[in-house]
Amino acid sequence: MDNLDYGIIGNCRSAALISKTGSIEWCCLPEFDSSSVFAKLLDEEIGGSFEIKVSDKYTIKQRYKKNTAVLITRFSDEGNVFEIHDFMPRYHDEDGKYHAPPELVRFIKHIKGKPVFKVLYNPKLEYAQGETKTFIKDDFIVSLTKTVKFDTVFLYTSFDKNAVLEGQEIKLTKNGYFLMGYNEKILQPTTRKVYLDLERTKVYWLNWTNKTPTYKKYNQQISRSAITLKLLSYDKTGAVLAAATTSLPETIGEVRNWDYRFCWIRDASMVIRVMGGLGHKNVAKRYLQFIIDLMPDKDEKLQIMYGINKEKKLTEETLDHLSGYKGSKPVRIGNAAYKQKQNDIYGILMNVIHAQLVEFSIDIDNGEELWGITKGIVWIVSRHWREPDKGIWEFRTEDRHFTFSKVLCWVAIDRAVKVARILKKTRKLEKWLILEKEIKADIYENAWNDEVNAFTQSYGSSHLDASVLLMESYGFIDAKDPKFVSTVKAIEKDLSNEGLLYRYKNEDDFGLPSSSFTICTFWFINSLFKIGEVEKAKEHFERLLTYSNHLGLFSEDIDFKTKRLLGNFPQAYSHLALIECAINFSTKETEERILESMRD
């Protein structure tokens, strides 16, 4: 079964997806949201790829170099063995700045014997619109297109260029390399220089991972998820992407296909909260600066999402010439959801601001700007919290009074109160406390449904929604509160399908949902853990981990029947929630060990 069996490599500027057989099938250069160079992922016929072909005699295995983003694909044919070490360079140069050029490197490591392979190098620039022509020059292979706009990409290699382009058999007797870059190199690469880049990139990732705490349980999953979240962060502005891909469908053959190569304030803020908790403070600081830069006007409402270079207009288009992943059309670039109003983003953002002020105290460089944003958010929430919106799931039909949005409006005011106390700015406190109580009372009165014995998706509705499980995580309600416990039970009964959760079951703009939204299952596990059903939570968690791909990566969705991964990949939401769950269990086990030692 095809299970999105890809590894991701990247350098916080762009990323590429590499199949379990060593084929690069998705890569955009020079940046995450640029047009694709390889897009076989979205069209097997014309998308373009960079493949290493071997005979059927070879066994192929793939893994990450431990605690790094270097992907190793090993090809073995009895006495003939070689490896591809795929990476995008990222390390500190002599000036202390990050060296992260728009290029990917395939270091071909000779292990033993005389392995043989062929190369299929088939770049299709500008999303494979029009023709890409490839030429051999003295120092490199260049591919270019002029159809949509002029664009080029350069391939450097230690192997015979004609043999590479013509797909001839190459016999490997020593190490070699391929370096594909968006720009022509000033200094000609060599195998030795490429190997040095590989080692420097390894060291960068080992140092970065070393900042992540180690856990007794699920440490490998936490570390891999943290690296994946880092790979989805964009250094230049501090933006955090929802995923590295566009248009991977929530259900095969359906039209729920979206471009996720943007920065959703909600997703990114949740990522930052987790990454900050793991000790990766630079990611958090850069993201806060990204937000500050987006809010020059004190009365300016936040959009729900922005381009990674702070673009505010993300016009949605379809690429009708591409057949889509497994025939799932349309392929979209851009995302019309940027126009939506979602009131929950203010609470999610305030939660991050509060967490960072607790972490950094008032020594934080931009404390005054954050206080200005805090006051602005309270002003916006106080004026708009009573209004309906599109909600966390971005319904494209009519606005509703979604419970999650209302709870997060309460969070916005609650965290603003806490921030005011940290900064000793108490002049507005009394007014804010009144507003906080007013929102909370409104939620209890309108979101609770006696018939289903739960907080429901929206005011006056009987439909359940997994996002309501976050009420406890955000401190709105205690885990042991009977109303929360019964909400968890009701959601389990209505939305759980063999331990996998629907976001909701009511019909939306595109019909009835037919796949599980992975983060919702993690939220459910978290909630079971919090209400004291620890063993059941752990069983669900360990089963869910088995649904990852061969490298421990998750996409957005999981098919209920086949358990195959669906939706954009890898998904920041899924990995941040995995980390939260794993830490819960690990912390719990630590506490139990301490108690046991006290008994002894």
Side-chain angles (χ1 to χ4, degrees):
M1 180 183 71
D2 181 353
N3 196 36
L4 285 175
D5 292 317
Y6 292 94
I8 181 174
I9 59 169
N11 59 2
C12 303
R13 179 170 182 172
S14 186
L17 297 186
I18 301 168
S19 78
K20 63 182 176 183
T21 58
S23 171
I24 301 176
E25 298 187 354
W26 178 250
C27 179
C28 300
L29 290 176
E31 295 174 336
F32 288 108
D33 60 350
S34 302
S35 56
S36 63
V37 177
F38 303 119
K40 186 175 180 179
L41 184 68
L42 296 177
D43 193 307
E44 294 190 11
E45 296 296 318
I46 66 165
S49 61
F50 185 175
E51 305 179 30
I52 304 295
K53 301 272 201 178
V54 293
S55 75
D56 293 341
K57 294 178 183 176
Y58 281 82
T59 302
I60 306 174
K61 292 186 176 175
Q62 196 174 56
R63 64 184 173 88
Y64 279 105
K65 178 76 177 170
K66 191 176 179 183
N67 293 331
T68 77
V70 176
L71 187 65
I72 301 172
T73 312
R74 186 179 180 94
F75 299 79
S76 309
D77 169 18
E78 295 177 353
N80 305 304
V81 184
F82 72 101
E83 292 177 342
I84 310 174
H85 292 232
D86 281 309
F87 67 101
M88 285 186 166
R90 179 173 173 81
Y91 53 85
H92 291 101
D93 60 23
E94 289 171 8
D95 299 329
K97 294 177 182 172
Y98 288 111
H99 177 71
E103 60 191 40
L104 63 82
V105 179
R106 318 201 76 178
F107 184 77
I108 312 295
K109 185 176 181 181
H110 176 261
I111 306 292
K112 64 178 181 176
K114 292 183 179 177
V116 172
F117 64 88
K118 295 178 183 178
V119 177
L120 173 61
Y121 179 67
N122 185 29
K124 293 291 187 75
L125 298 164
E126 294 296 321
Y127 297 114
Q129 296 175 89
E131 188 180 12
T132 296
K133 292 182 177 179
T134 298
F135 304 95
I136 294 176
K137 303 294 182 183
D138 288 345
D139 295 335
F140 52 76
I141 294 168
V142 62
S143 300
L144 61 90
T145 184
K146 299 176 184 174
T147 311
V148 178
K149 65 177 187 182
F150 180 71
D151 206 0
T152 55
V153 71
F154 301 86
L155 180 71
Y156 295 82
T157 181
S158 59
F159 301 105
D160 180 88
K161 293 189 282 293
N162 282 300
V164 169
L165 266 198
E166 292 167 13
Q168 295 172 13
E169 210 168 70
I170 295 171
K171 190 172 284 185
L172 191 67
T173 56
K174 61 181 180 179
N175 296 344
Y177 73 89
F178 297 96
L179 185 157
M180 191 193 79
Y182 190 70
N183 301 312
E184 185 178 341
K185 304 293 284 182
I186 293 172
L187 298 174
Q188 185 73 8
T190 64
T191 303
R192 189 183 66 79
K193 284 180 190 169
V194 165
Y195 179 71
L196 186 58
D197 266 9
L198 170 61
E199 292 302 306
R200 283 173 169 164
T201 300
K202 273 187 210 166
V203 168
Y204 165 80
W205 285 108
L206 290 170
N207 285 333
W208 188 87
T209 308
N210 192 46
K211 294 174 189 167
T212 307
T214 52
Y215 295 88
K216 296 286 184 189
K217 194 101 172 106
Y218 308 116
N219 191 64
Q220 188 180 333
Q221 289 88 346
I222 292 169
S223 176
R224 181 51 51 201
S225 292
I227 291 169
T228 304
L229 294 177
K230 176 65 174 170
L231 286 170
L232 294 172
S233 69
Y234 180 59
D235 255 6
K236 184 177 165 187
T237 62
V240 178
L241 287 82
T245 57
T246 179
S247 303
L248 296 186
E250 294 177 25
T251 303
I252 300 291
E254 288 194 5
V255 296
R256 298 170 193 262
N257 314 333
W258 318 111
D259 193 345
Y260 273 19
R261 298 170 297 158
F262 302 112
C263 184
W264 270 257
I265 298 299
R266 179 193 308 108
D267 303 38
S269 297
M270 288 181 175
V271 168
I272 291 306
R273 184 78 180 86
V274 167
M275 293 291 266
L278 289 175
H280 296 292
K281 295 180 181 179
N282 283 342
V283 181
K285 282 185 174 179
R286 284 194 198 102
Y287 176 67
L288 285 179
Q289 193 58 52
F290 177 75
I291 296 297
I292 288 165
D293 293 346
L294 286 170
M295 295 187 74
D297 180 350
K298 290 180 182 177
D299 192 35
E300 184 175 344
K301 282 192 188 179
L302 268 178
Q303 290 181 191
I304 66 162
M305 60 193 285
Y306 294 88
I308 59 172
N309 283 299
K310 305 175 196 170
E311 300 93 340
K312 295 184 178 180
K313 193 174 180 184
L314 308 173
T315 307
E316 190 173 299
E317 304 170 41
T318 59
L319 300 177
D320 296 328
H321 66 289
L322 294 175
S323 63
Y325 178 79
K326 306 297 177 192
S328 304
K329 297 184 84 163
V331 171
R332 304 176 202 260
I333 53 172
N335 197 311
Y338 80 93
K339 298 175 183 174
Q340 290 189 359
K341 182 174 80 172
Q342 294 174 19
N343 294 331
D344 63 289
I345 60 172
Y346 299 105
I348 284 164
L349 183 55
M350 274 311 309
N351 193 48
V352 171
I353 290 172
H354 171 248
Q356 296 314 305
L357 285 171
V358 168
E359 188 73 36
F360 300 119
S361 185
I362 54 173
D363 300 333
I364 194 163
D365 302 340
N366 37 32
E368 290 176 0
E369 288 154 304
L370 292 178
W371 174 238
I373 289 175
T374 298
K375 290 189 293 181
I377 284 175
V378 174
W379 169 248
I380 290 167
V381 171
S382 67
R383 293 176 68 203
H384 299 287
W385 74 269
R386 290 186 178 278
E387 297 169 5
D389 70 348
K390 296 295 184 191
I392 183 173
W393 306 128
E394 299 177 358
F395 285 93
R396 294 193 173 194
T397 48
E398 86 283 353
D399 292 0
R400 300 178 206 168
H401 293 280
F402 288 101
T403 301
F404 181 76
S405 295
K406 302 296 184 188
V407 169
L408 269 292
C409 285
W410 173 86
V411 170
I413 308 305
D414 176 76
R415 301 309 190 268
V417 166
K418 290 179 167 71
V419 166
R421 286 176 173 148
I422 289 170
L423 299 176
K424 298 182 169 54
K425 294 283 187 183
T426 56
R427 186 169 54 88
K428 297 174 180 285
L429 264 191
E430 197 174 325
K431 200 192 285 187
W432 291 3
L433 285 165
I434 291 168
L435 177 59
E436 184 187 358
K437 285 178 184 169
E438 186 184 355
I439 298 173
K440 190 163 202 170
D442 190 74
I443 294 165
Y444 270 96
E445 184 181 340
N446 294 298
W448 179 260
N449 184 313
D450 280 324
E451 286 180 26
V452 293
N453 205 25
F455 289 101
T456 56
Q457 183 180 71
S458 57
Y459 285 8
S461 167
S462 60
H463 297 300
L464 295 172
D465 190 308
S467 66
V468 173
L469 294 169
L470 294 181
M471 296 173 99
E472 185 275 334
S473 302
Y474 282 109
F476 181 86
I477 192 169
D478 188 84
K480 300 297 189 281
D481 187 305
K483 286 195 168 182
F484 182 70
V485 175
S486 64
T487 297
V488 175
K489 297 288 190 188
I491 284 173
E492 178 177 23
K493 186 179 176 184
D494 191 57
L495 299 184
S496 176
N497 181 337
E498 295 181 15
L500 294 176
L501 256 72
Y502 288 91
R503 285 179 281 185
Y504 48 82
K505 268 189 172 174
N506 45 306
E507 195 165 328
D508 60 21
D509 328 347
F510 302 100
L512 293 169
S514 57
S515 60
S516 170
F517 205 66
T518 307
I519 194 173
C520 296
T521 305
F522 284 120
W523 289 344
F524 170 60
I525 292 165
N526 214 11
S527 298
L528 285 176
F529 177 90
K530 294 288 187 65
I531 66 172
E533 297 195 15
V534 177
E535 282 311 309
K536 186 197 274 189
K538 195 170 175 185
E539 278 174 34
H540 280 307
F541 183 62
E542 294 196 338
R543 189 184 310 119
L544 182 54
L545 290 180
T546 68
Y547 302 149
S548 76
N549 78 0
H550 64 300
L551 295 166
L553 300 180
F554 280 94
S555 62
E556 182 182 43
D557 305 272
I558 296 172
D559 183 84
F560 283 116
K561 289 178 185 171
T562 64
K563 309 298 188 285
R564 75 181 283 170
L565 299 181
L566 296 165
N568 283 308
F569 174 89
Q571 181 83 0
Y573 248 174
S574 301
H575 284 282
L576 74 90
L578 186 160
I579 291 171
E580 286 179 321
C581 275
I583 288 174
N584 271 343
F585 292 120
S586 197
T587 306
K588 180 77 176 174
E589 295 219 339
T590 307
E591 288 167 0
E592 284 171 353
R593 278 197 300 277
I594 292 167
L595 288 171
E596 281 166 15
S597 67
M598 286 167 69
R599 288 190 201 104
D600 295 343

